[in-house]
C-alpha cells in the first residue's frame, strides 16, 4: 500500500524578485506503508525543500503529491524539525501534549496517550523537566515524542540529529530504529551523512544537480533489526561507497 506518491514534482523559489529559481525538477518516488526512506545530497541541494513540499508549505510549480488513505482518511503527516523548537515555559509532558491539546483531543485522555511515548523515547523520570534543563538528545527525544503524539501515518524528519555530538547521534539512530520497529509508521528521513542513511533506511534517494533531480534510488537490502556493529560489515561499506560515488562529483 502506498502512503505517498510523488509524481513529476517541480518546485521553484522566488529569486530576488527577478525570476523564479527551479530547485527540484521531475521528482518521482513513492512511500509504502511501514517503509523507511532516507534522502541524501549535498547541503543546499533541496532536501528540506522536498520535505516542505510534502508538508504543504510549498506549492509545486508542476507535478503532484498523492497522499494515500488510512481507514478512509488521508494519511496523517507529522514533522520532526532540525531544531526541537520546544516551548520553554512547558515541561516535557506539556510539550509532548501540545499538539494533542490544540487538536481538541480529550483532556482527560492525554496522560494515557503521552506516558507510553515518554517511555518509548526513554524520558521516564524527566517528565517535569523544562527544556533548559535537558541535554540536546533529550530535547530531540521530546520533539520526536511530540510528533508521534498525534499518531501520524507518515513521519518526516529533517536532519534531526545535526546538532548532536557523534556519540549521542549514534544512540539516537538506534532509538529511531527501535521506534520505527515498534510503531510501524512510514518515515522520510533527511540527512547529509551517508552512513546514517544506509544504517536507517530501506531505500535511499540520492538528490543531485541544479536543479536537483533524483540521481538514483538505492535499495538497502540489510535485514532488520540492525545494530551498530553493522557499520563495520562489508555489505555496509560497499553501500556507503556506492552512495559516495553518486555524490562525489556534485557541487553546490
Amino acid at each position: 500500500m502506498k502512503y505517498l506518491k510523488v509524481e513529476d514534482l517541480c518546485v521553484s523559489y522566488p529569486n530576488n524578485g527577478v525570476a523564479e529559481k527551479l530547485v527540484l525538477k521531475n521528482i518521482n518516488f513513492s512511500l509504502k506503508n511501514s517503509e523507511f526512506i532516507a534522502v541524501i545530497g549535498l547541503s543546499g541541494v533541496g532536501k528540506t525543500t522536498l520535505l516542505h513540499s510534502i508538508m504543504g508549505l510549498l506549492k509545486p510549480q508542476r507535478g503532484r503529491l498523492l497522499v494515500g488513505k488510512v481507514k478512509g482518511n488521508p494519511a496523517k503527516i507529522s514533522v520532526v524539525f532540525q531544531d526541537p523548537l520546544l516551548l520553554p515555559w512547558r515541561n516535557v509532558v506539556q510539550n509532548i501534549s501540545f499538539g494533542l491539546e490544540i487538536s481538541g483531543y480529550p483532556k482527560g485522555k492525554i496522560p494515557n496517550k503521552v506516558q507510553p511515548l515518554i517511555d518509548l523515547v526513554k524520558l521516564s523520570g524527566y517528565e517535569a523537566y523544562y527544556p533548559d534543563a535537558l541535554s540536546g538528545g533529550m530535547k530531540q527525544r521530546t520533539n520526536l515524542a511530540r510528533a508521534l503524539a498525534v499518531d501520524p501515518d507518515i513521519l518526516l524528519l529533517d536532519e534531526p540529529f545535526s546538532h548532536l555530538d557523534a556519540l549521542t547521534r549514534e544512540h539516537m539512530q538506534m532509538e529511531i530504529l527501535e521506534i520505527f520497529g515498534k510503531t510501524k509508521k512510514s518515515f522520510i528521513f533527511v540527512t547529509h551523512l551517508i552512513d546514517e542513511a544506509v544504517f536507517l533506511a530501506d531505500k535511499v534517494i540520492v538528490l543531485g544537480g541544479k536543479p536537483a533531480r533524483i540521481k538514483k534510488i538505492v535499495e538497502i537490502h540489510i535485514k532488520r533489526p540492525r545494530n551498530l556493529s553493522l557499520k563495520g560489515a562489508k555489505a555496509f561499506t560497499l553501500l556507503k561507497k556506492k552512495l559516495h560515488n553518486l555524490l562525489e562529483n556534485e557541487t553546490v
Side-chain angles (χ1 to χ4, degrees):
M1 177 181 178
K2 293 177 180 176
Y3 270 13
L4 177 72
K5 190 173 183 181
V6 179
E7 294 183 340
D8 296 322
L9 184 72
C10 297
V11 182
S12 298
Y13 273 128
N15 187 19
N16 296 324
V18 178
E20 289 194 339
K21 178 184 178 182
L22 191 61
V23 180
L24 299 175
K25 185 175 182 179
N26 298 336
I27 303 297
N28 291 275
F29 72 93
S30 60
L31 174 71
K32 296 183 291 187
N33 180 22
S34 302
E35 184 175 41
F36 199 125
I37 290 177
V39 182
I40 65 171
L42 301 188
S43 296
V45 75
K47 302 186 296 295
T48 296
T49 299
L50 177 59
L51 286 197
H52 285 178
S53 300
I54 295 170
M55 292 160 56
L57 297 178
L58 291 173
K59 185 178 180 180
Q61 184 186 46
R62 192 171 69 247
R64 59 181 183 166
L65 292 150
L66 303 173
V67 179
K69 290 190 174 182
V70 180
K71 297 180 180 178
N73 297 310
K76 190 184 298 183
I77 299 174
S78 195
V79 187
V80 177
F81 292 104
Q82 188 177 97
D83 189 325
L85 299 174
L86 302 179
L87 300 173
W89 58 89
R90 296 174 71 106
N91 62 28
V92 166
V93 169
Q94 293 164 342
N95 266 291
I96 295 171
S97 303
F98 183 69
L100 294 170
E101 292 172 10
I102 63 175
S103 68
Y105 195 81
K107 187 175 181 180
K109 295 183 178 180
I110 288 178
N112 289 336
K113 183 82 169 179
V114 170
Q115 190 57 52
L117 292 171
I118 289 174
D119 297 337
L120 180 65
V121 299
K122 297 179 172 58
L123 282 174
S124 300
Y126 295 92
E127 290 87 344
Y129 281 55
Y130 287 83
D132 62 358
L134 299 176
S135 68
M138 289 177 177
K139 289 177 182 177
Q140 201 57 286
R141 288 186 181 96
T142 305
N143 187 21
L144 181 58
R146 180 176 57 187
L148 290 168
V150 297
D151 198 22
D153 304 294
I154 300 170
L155 195 62
L156 308 178
L157 302 102
D158 187 9
E159 300 198 53
F161 307 150
S162 61
H163 298 322
L164 305 179
D165 63 81
L167 189 57
T168 302
R169 187 167 191 145
E170 283 201 327
H171 286 313
M172 290 300 297
Q173 289 170 3
M174 286 301 302
E175 290 187 21
I176 282 289
L177 286 181
E178 183 179 345
I179 290 166
F180 173 68
K182 288 182 177 179
T183 64
K184 305 299 181 184
K185 298 185 183 299
S186 300
F187 284 44
I188 299 180
F189 189 103
V190 165
T191 180
H192 63 276
L193 295 184
I194 293 173
D195 72 324
E196 186 167 75
V198 174
F199 185 62
L200 297 176
D202 298 309
K203 61 186 180 186
V204 178
I205 294 175
V206 182
L207 291 181
K210 291 182 181 181
R213 298 172 174 85
I214 294 179
K215 296 190 70 173
K216 196 172 184 64
I217 298 178
V218 178
E219 301 281 346
I220 306 298
H221 296 295
I222 297 177
K223 291 182 180 180
R224 299 183 185 275
R226 300 172 184 174
N227 56 54
L228 292 174
S229 65
L230 169 66
K231 293 187 177 185
K234 183 178 179 180
F236 187 89
T237 302
L238 290 174
L239 283 164
K240 278 179 58 180
K241 184 176 181 180
K242 181 177 183 177
L243 291 169
H244 184 272
N245 289 342
L246 288 167
L247 290 174
E248 66 179 347
N249 295 321
E250 290 293 317
T251 59
V252 292

